[in-house]
Amino acid sequence: MDFPFVGPSYQSSSINVDAERSINLYPEIVESQQGKNKWYLRGTPGLTPFCLLPKYPIRGVWVVVSNIFVVAGNTLYLVAINGSYSAIGTLITSTGYVGMSDNGLQLCIVDGPNEYIYNFASSIFSLNPCGGNFLGANVVDYIDNYFVFAKPASRDFFLSQLNDGATINPLDIATKEGASDLIVAIITLHRQLYIFGSKTAEIWWDTGANTFPFSPIQGVFIECGCAAPMTVKKADNTVMWLSKDERGQGIVYKMSGYAPVRVSTHAIEKIIRSWGNLSNAAAYVYQIDGHEFYVLNNPDALTTLVYNGSTSSWHERQWFNPLTGAYSRHRGQFYGSATGDNGQLSIVSDYETGQLYTFDDNNYTDNGNPIHRIRIAPPSPNNDLNRVFYNRFQVDIEAGVGLDGGVQGSDPKIIMQQSNDGGHTWSGERVASMGKIGETKMRAYWNKCGMARNRVFKVKVTDPVKVVMIDAKIDARPGNS
């Protein structure tokens, strides 16, 4: 009996409807359409330690080719591609997110009341070089040789001078025009400036006018604002963000042309709603093997939400604490892609410590801690709510992936549990082998799986091995009542 084992995270508001989750696993489409299944579940990358900074928390990461700039605590660090680091500047503040951008000559950092400029050529770090002409900003971006700043708690945004973030003309300021809500975030895309308020958004472009170079694009106005400035990111050749408007908040949108398109699902929005305060939510975007992931976090989240643009699907990522046995949000917070001698290096920061990691598809742990890869399948096909007798449940998983040397994972296991009430409660764990190294014909299955009217299967792998789940099959027969 076939059933759709592979899929995204979609735990409905009533798990009796759909309890499915993909945790530390994401669906990948078989683009040839000639494989064993149309798609399969692939394990997320592990975290390999790269550099441990003495200050924390890490408040922002910005990469310029092979130079990794990190604000940790009240210090700006320059981290080399080999993991060495040096402190190159001191900030007045030590907590809270920072905005970062560069113009090819300078790195600009803002933390609300202050601006900091680091000059690449001279290695000089400057605090508030513009003096009183800097009006404050939590976010900064770059377009057409200007740094663009959003003045806090206002509808105003202002510019630096051309190619110089250390100089600001107090006359280079404009006001968001379309509605009275205050500016929350700004971002540039396709040489256009997207200005997000708390309820609406508008798009400006560089007209080259002498008085002020930017003007709103006529006829373009977006009746959807932003709930959290750090969630506004370029992804999938467009902009994505966590929304807020006069009707509510908590939907993830992406722009399609000049129109917002909802990409979150009701199940994902239910998780977002559980966070309460959304203003501190943050996102980052990274690419791997043709996938572009929008990774959404919140300090109060128990799970990290990830949107895969190549499949238009969501999955979850979690960190397992081996000391407490508890699950929490993934450790990653900010991301940067640096160019090294061996290609691109994916750098991600820890949300709590001064640790920087690399994403590593060949590391099956999170900094030595086990990664729990969990798939809760959709409800099994029912028999018009009559009983079903389950003779066998089998998972088609890549076998023979055991590690060499008698360590954990040398004989990796896949753990199965079953629920007879739609996912509310679970049976004890039953274990099957994934195959020692080279045992590529090993089959992972469980006989005598009992009877149920509302069966849901859950499988989990905790060993530090490659995990690829291709499909699952059920051998069952219907009952009469």
Side-chain angles (χ1 to χ4, degrees), residues 69-136:
F69 296 93
V70 182
V71 175
N74 69 339
T75 304
L76 173 65
Y77 293 95
L78 175 57
V79 181
I81 204 72
N82 63 4
S84 62
Y85 65 88
S86 57
I88 58 174
T90 301
L91 283 67
I92 294 177
T93 60
S94 58
T95 60
Y97 301 144
V98 297
M100 304 177 75
S101 188
D102 80 274
N103 62 4
L105 304 171
Q106 304 162 320
L107 173 70
C108 180
I109 304 169
V110 295
D111 63 4
N114 307 295
E115 179 198 24
Y116 312 86
I117 295 291
Y118 178 76
N119 188 290
F120 298 147
S122 66
S123 300
I124 293 176
F125 179 85
S126 303
L127 165 63
N128 288 324
C130 302
N133 288 340
F134 179 72
L135 304 177

Side-chain angles (χ1 to χ4, degrees), residues 58-76:
I58 293 176
R59 306 166 62 195
V61 175
W62 190 264
V63 176
V64 181
V65 189
S66 60
N67 295 310
I68 306 162
F69 296 93
V70 182
V71 175
N74 69 339
T75 304
L76 173 65

Side-chain angles (χ1 to χ4, degrees), residues 259-421:
V261 175
R262 172 178 173 261
V263 297
S264 53
T265 64
H266 297 310
I268 293 299
E269 290 151 7
K270 176 175 68 77
I271 296 174
I272 293 172
R273 188 169 63 251
S274 71
W275 294 347
N277 181 15
L278 301 184
S279 62
N280 288 323
Y284 64 88
V285 176
Y286 80 98
Q287 293 181 353
I288 187 170
D289 294 346
H291 298 273
E292 189 155 276
F293 296 109
Y294 177 84
V295 185
L296 182 61
N297 266 314
N298 186 281
D300 297 325
L302 298 179
T303 190
T304 295
L305 304 175
V306 185
Y307 178 77
N308 185 348
S310 67
T311 59
S312 300
S313 66
W314 290 84
H315 66 276
E316 301 169 66
R317 301 191 186 182
Q318 290 183 339
W319 180 68
F320 175 75
N321 188 331
L323 298 179
T324 64
Y327 295 95
S328 64
R329 56 178 284 200
H330 190 257
R331 303 299 302 184
Q333 176 78 347
F334 297 107
Y335 174 83
S337 179
T339 302
D341 294 336
N342 298 318
Q344 291 299 112
L345 195 64
S346 295
I347 303 295
V348 64
S349 69
D350 191 284
Y351 70 82
E352 191 173 35
T353 71
Q355 183 73 59
L356 295 175
Y357 310 99
T358 59
F359 273 139
D360 188 350
D361 257 343
N362 297 313
N363 179 5
Y364 305 117
T365 70
D366 279 339
N367 193 14
N369 294 306
I371 300 175
H372 286 202
R373 307 190 188 277
I374 300 171
R375 175 59 181 163
I376 299 178
S380 301
N382 65 59
N383 179 31
D384 292 329
L385 300 182
N386 292 322
R387 292 183 295 175
V388 176
F389 294 89
Y390 293 89
N391 303 318
R392 174 179 292 182
F393 174 67
Q394 179 172 331
V395 176
D396 187 355
I397 192 167
E398 183 172 343
V401 295
L403 304 180
D404 195 11
V407 296
Q408 182 185 358
S410 58
D411 187 9
K413 309 296 185 184
I414 178 171
I415 302 164
M416 185 273 286
Q417 291 177 277
Q418 55 197 42
S419 172
N420 292 338
D421 55 9

Side-chain angles (χ1 to χ4, degrees), residues 242-269:
L242 182 60
S243 74
K244 180 180 179 180
D245 56 39
E246 61 183 10
R247 299 171 297 277
Q249 63 178 353
I251 298 174
V252 179
Y253 283 102
K254 72 174 182 180
M255 291 297 295
S256 177
Y258 292 138
V261 175
R262 172 178 173 261
V263 297
S264 53
T265 64
H266 297 310
I268 293 299
E269 290 151 7

Side-chain angles (χ1 to χ4, degrees), residues 34 71 146 157 167 312 342:
Q34 302 299 315
V71 175
Y146 299 100
F157 65 98
T167 305
S312 300
N342 298 318

